[in-house]
């Protein structure tokens, strides 16, 4: 565990020295400023839109980070690991903590805004709304991190292929409801694509989070993220060098 934490701290220091987070930070500030500048604001819709936004941000962050990895440096880290597992866990820890930070901001801001100016929302915001909405945002971010990091340069050497792959998966996830309506065999897309928009279908126009449905979506997101991460680690173990 100590070795993993040391690797994580080293990765975090390198992240702070770089410029990877400038675009996500600016984008998040603009999103919050625009999102909550117009009343009335839907309680569930604010969390759902924030979740979709964080998915895209996390895809960008993970693809930017893995694109900047240096083979020599990564192999040096691998050599200093007590076990290969420590190396991969430190990578995931960095992605998860980044996701958690943005999810926390996107969750806390509407809650604080409601406490200060509750009249801006179409209905009172409860604790359950904040918890379920916050978890939805966080798990959507995890799906974005997993999706973006899966298209690693070691897996697809041409960077544009990885970008196109991440875009294709995201677009299919957005369009899957319409696709399955016209062609039923495509219903399998509901199981293999990130379900970061499923909450929109569940909530509909009710502006209420249904507990059982949300828990099922959380489980789906968690399973998707775990499976994709495991596949990614297997690929990275098979191809430790890009060239």
């Amino acid at each position: 565990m100590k070795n993993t934490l040391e690797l994580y701290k080293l990765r975090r220091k390198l992240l702070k020295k770089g410029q990877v987070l400038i675009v996500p930070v600016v984008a998040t500030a603009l999103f919050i400023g625009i999102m909550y500048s117009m009343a009335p604001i839907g309680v569930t819709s604010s969390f759902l839109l924030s979740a979709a936004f964080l998915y895209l941000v996390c895809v960008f962050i993970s693809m930017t980070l893995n694109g900047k990895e240096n083979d020599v440096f990564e192999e040096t880290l691998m050599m200093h690991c007590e076990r290969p597992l420590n190396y991969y866990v430190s990578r995931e820890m960095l992605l998860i903590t980044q996701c958690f930070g943005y999810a926390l901001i996107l969750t806390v801001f509407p809650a604080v805004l409601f406490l200060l100016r509750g009249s801006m929302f179409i209905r009172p915001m409860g604790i359950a709304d904040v918890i379920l909405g916050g978890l939805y945002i966080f798990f959507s971010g995890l799906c974005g991190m997993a999706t973006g990091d899966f298209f690693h340069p070691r897996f697809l050497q041409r960077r544009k292929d990885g970008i196109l792959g991440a875009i294709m998966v995201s677009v299919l996830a957005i369009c899957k409801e319409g696709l399955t309506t016209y062609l039923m065999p495509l219903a399998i897309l509901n199981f293999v694509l990130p379900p970061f928009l499923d909450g929109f279908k569940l909530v509909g126009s009710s502006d209420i989070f249904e507990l059982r449905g949300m828990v099922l979506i959380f489980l789906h997101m968690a399973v998707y993220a775990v499976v994709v991460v495991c596949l990614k680690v297997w690929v990275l173990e098979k191809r430790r060098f890009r060239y």
Side-chain angles (χ1 to χ4, degrees):
M1 186 64 182
K2 181 180 179 181
N3 184 244
T4 302
L5 291 176
E6 290 173 349
L7 292 172
Y8 164 71
K9 291 177 181 178
L10 178 59
R11 292 184 182 278
R12 189 178 61 182
K13 289 180 181 179
L14 293 174
L15 178 64
K16 290 180 179 179
K17 292 180 179 180
Q19 300 178 346
V20 175
L21 299 181
I22 293 178
V23 172
V25 168
V26 173
T28 301
L30 289 175
F31 173 81
I32 291 176
I34 296 172
M35 176 78 173
Y36 297 102
S37 63
M38 298 173 287
I41 303 170
V43 174
T44 57
S45 61
S46 65
F47 288 111
L48 294 175
L49 289 172
S50 295
F53 168 78
L54 186 58
Y55 169 86
L56 298 175
V57 167
C58 286
V59 169
F60 173 84
I61 292 175
S62 59
M63 296 199 73
T64 303
L65 287 176
N66 64 36
K68 291 182 176 297
E69 286 182 350
N70 179 275
D71 281 348
V72 176
F73 179 73
E74 293 299 319
E75 286 298 316
T76 302
L77 290 181
M78 182 71 77
M79 290 176 59
H80 285 81
C81 289
E82 296 174 357
R83 294 179 300 169
L85 180 62
N86 295 344
Y87 169 83
Y88 294 111
V89 170
S90 69
R91 289 186 83 257
E92 300 309 314
M93 286 176 62
L94 182 67
L95 298 178
I96 291 173
T97 53
Q98 291 301 308
C99 175
F100 179 78
Y102 286 96
L104 187 63
I105 294 172
L106 292 170
T107 302
V108 171
F109 188 89
V112 173
L113 181 62
F114 173 75
L115 293 176
L116 298 177
R117 300 179 61 185
S119 60
M120 292 189 65
F121 292 84
I122 61 176
R123 69 169 178 84
M125 182 184 299
I127 296 178
D129 295 316
V130 177
I131 294 175
L132 293 175
L135 287 174
Y136 190 82
I137 293 173
F138 175 67
F139 280 111
S140 293
L142 288 184
C143 288
M145 287 291 188
T147 300
D149 203 34
F150 179 77
F151 294 97
H152 196 283
R154 295 187 199 173
F155 179 41
L156 296 171
Q157 292 186 3
R158 294 198 304 175
R159 191 60 176 163
K160 64 179 182 180
D161 291 339
I163 295 174
L164 289 174
I167 291 175
M168 183 181 69
V169 169
S170 302
V171 170
L172 286 175
I174 295 172
C175 302
K176 65 180 180 180
E177 290 298 327
L179 294 173
T180 54
T181 301
Y182 289 101
L183 192 60
M184 286 305 297
L186 291 178
I188 192 172
L189 294 177
N190 290 317
F191 301 98
V192 299
L193 293 175
F196 68 98
L197 291 183
D198 287 10
F200 289 84
K201 180 181 178 181
L202 176 68
V203 172
S205 59
S206 64
D207 198 40
I208 296 174
F209 286 126
E210 195 270 311
L211 179 60
R212 181 176 178 276
M214 293 299 291
V215 170
L216 290 176
I217 293 176
F218 295 158
L219 289 174
H220 188 182
M221 288 179 168
V223 170
Y224 170 85
V226 170
V227 170
V228 172
V229 167
C230 290
L231 288 174
K232 175 192 67 182
V233 170
W234 180 78
V235 172
L236 293 180
E237 271 290 284
K238 293 293 182 180
R239 302 193 62 174
R240 291 192 176 184
F241 296 97
R242 301 191 191 194
Y243 309 105

